[in-house]
């Protein structure tokens, strides 16, 4: 686990299953139909129970680069923020859409006055975004937001499933915070 204080916010990188994390909001790597699927989406819906899918059906759709909120069922969270990242090689403006998906989550967290949020690595599984390209975008977007106080958020975590993804995020965080 890596924990880094930036202004009044603690930014954490950890390995694990995001469906098991305690936070005000847990971010899901959803698709634009909010239809469920594998990866993070599967793990979150399995752990949360059927009420979350019912809410997703009622909402119906989420634009790529955007996010919507549901309650969190049985998860150790108040809300799930379902974010839709770009599909690498399909969306021409993938970098912008990826940043926009993270921004949308943070905007919702602020709107709901949340103190803690946990992100997975959006788009880097089924959606094929190379982690080396996605990690700087994810971290920069979140860190830029921390710089724009005031913020209700006090804890921002990235919960990364595999060792390789964790290592790339860790290297990238080091590079952003301590450029040589
Ligand atoms: N906790 C944390 N990270 C995880 C977990 C987990 N339980 N499971 C996988 N990862 P992905 P995407 C990592 O495919 O690329 C779904 O079918 C995974 O190793 O979950 O945005 C949706 O329904 C990878 O590093 O999301 C969409 O259709 C990262 O999370 C589509 O996939 C993201 O992988 C979304 O694709």
């Amino acid at each position: 686990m890596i924990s880094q204080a930036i202004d009044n916010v603690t930014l954490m990188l950890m390995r694990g299953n995001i469906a098991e994390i305690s936070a005000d909001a847990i971010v899901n790597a959803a698709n634009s139909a909010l239809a469920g699927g594998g990866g993070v989406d599967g793990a979150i819906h399995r752990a949360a129970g059927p009420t979350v899918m019912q809410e997703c059906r009622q909402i119906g759709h989420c634009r790529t680069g955007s996010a919507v909120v549901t309650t969190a069922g049985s998860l150790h969270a108040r809300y799930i923020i379902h974010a839709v990242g770009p599909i690498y090689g399909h969306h021409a403006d993938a970098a912008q859409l990826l940043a926009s998906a993270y921004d949308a989550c943070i905007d919702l967290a602020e709107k709901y006055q949340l103190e803690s949020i946990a992100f997975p690595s959006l788009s880097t599984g089924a959606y094929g975004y190379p982690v080396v390209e996605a990690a700087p975008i994810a971290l920069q977007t979140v860190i830029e937001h921390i710089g724009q106080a005031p913020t209700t958020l006090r804890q921002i975590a990235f919960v990364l499933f595999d060792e390789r993804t964790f290592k790339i995020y860790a290297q990238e965080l080091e590079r952003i915070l301590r450029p040589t």
Side-chain angles (χ1 to χ4, degrees):
M1 224 245 304
I2 292 172
S3 179
Q4 173 75 48
I6 304 174
D7 297 341
N8 290 327
V9 180
T10 304
L11 179 64
M12 284 182 290
L13 306 182
M14 61 182 82
R15 274 195 71 187
N17 175 0
I18 197 164
E20 295 173 355
I21 295 293
S22 297
D24 288 339
I26 284 172
V27 175
N28 183 20
N31 51 63
S32 54
L34 302 174
V40 175
D41 207 0
I44 283 181
H45 277 289
R46 265 195 309 279
T51 56
V52 176
M53 185 49 79
Q54 283 160 17
E55 286 180 56
C56 284
R57 277 200 207 97
Q58 267 169 5
I59 298 167
H61 186 266
C62 178
R63 264 191 358 263
T64 301
S66 185
V68 298
V69 178
T70 66
T71 57
S74 314
L75 297 190
H76 308 290
R78 289 163 64 196
Y79 302 102
I80 299 171
I81 299 178
H82 304 263
V84 183
I87 302 170
Y88 196 79
H90 171 77
H91 292 102
D93 47 353
Q96 249 177 303
L97 289 168
L98 187 61
S100 162
Y102 283 100
D103 270 332
C105 294
I106 287 171
D107 288 349
L108 285 168
E110 295 290 350
K111 183 177 165 194
Y112 283 76
Q113 303 201 311
L114 306 183
E115 289 189 4
S116 58
I117 187 168
F119 286 99
S121 175
L122 296 173
S123 285
T124 62
Y127 281 178
Y129 215 120
V131 183
V132 285
E133 291 179 39
I137 296 170
L139 290 166
Q140 286 282 10
T141 305
V142 164
I143 289 169
E144 265 167 37
H145 176 80
I146 295 172
Q148 296 162 4
T151 169
T152 63
L153 284 168
R154 289 289 165 269
Q155 259 189 38
I156 302 177
F158 281 89
V159 183
L160 307 162
F161 205 51
D162 60 280
E163 182 66 21
R164 178 174 173 270
T165 302
F166 176 83
K167 278 196 174 141
I168 293 171
Y169 270 73
Q171 279 163 8
E172 193 54 38
L173 181 62
E174 181 71 16
R175 206 183 59 78
I176 291 169
L177 295 178
R178 282 172 273 279
T180 47

